[in-house]
Amino acid sequence: MQVMYAVDANPVTGGAWVEVCAIADIIYGVGVCALIGKRQVAVFRLPGSGQYYAIDNHDPFSEANVLSRGLVGDIKGQPVVASPIYKQHFNLQTGQCLEDEGVRLETFAVRVNEGMVQIELK
């Protein structure tokens, strides 16, 4: 089941931490989408390490907001999400597309504070 969380981030300011959801809302290896203002952000919790990552939810190849529905894994030690449409892989740490070095998604810092997942706006 795909869930989108709407976050009131008005006014949106750079450097602000915004609560997205409770840690229990993110299943290991499955992304969730947070609507922050007018922007969609995909948030992932990796299996094994439990590390959190957040990237732009917009897939530049399909022009659809779908990356939160992608498959999470790793390629040569790099944590990645594969687009559910055309299957390009995006590094969750850097946003870099592994198949096209000219494409990079925006990434966001993630932290857990008192059981809530937060992302830092830029």
Side-chain angles (χ1 to χ4, degrees):
M1 178 171 88
Q2 184 67 24
V3 177
M4 180 182 287
Y5 295 88
V7 177
D8 181 16
N10 211 359
V12 176
T13 57
W17 287 92
V18 177
E19 286 189 352
V20 174
C21 63
I23 57 174
D25 293 337
I26 303 181
I27 299 169
Y28 288 99
V30 178
V32 298
C33 181
L35 180 62
I36 302 171
K38 294 183 179 180
R39 173 170 222 165
Q40 291 188 26
V41 177
V43 183
F44 302 94
R45 183 179 185 190
L46 267 57
S49 70
Q51 182 69 39
Y52 292 88
Y53 295 97
I55 62 171
D56 193 347
N57 193 41
H58 185 77
D59 176 1
F61 295 97
S62 67
E63 294 294 321
N65 291 311
V66 295
L67 291 178
S68 62
R69 296 177 181 217
L71 297 174
V72 177
D74 79 69
I75 295 178
K76 297 180 182 177
Q78 298 179 67
V80 298
V81 61
S83 170
I85 300 191
Y86 296 125
K87 311 304 183 225
Q88 283 86 0
H89 299 90
F90 296 93
N91 182 309
L92 291 171
Q93 295 171 316
T94 66
Q96 181 65 52
C97 176
L98 302 186
E99 290 79 20
D100 185 338
E101 65 183 45
V103 177
R104 183 183 295 256
L105 300 176
E106 188 170 359
T107 60
F108 302 87
V110 182
R111 71 181 183 189
V112 174
N113 186 23
E114 297 182 6
M116 297 298 293
V117 177
Q118 299 176 332
I119 65 167
E120 184 179 23
L121 301 179
K122 294 181 180 179

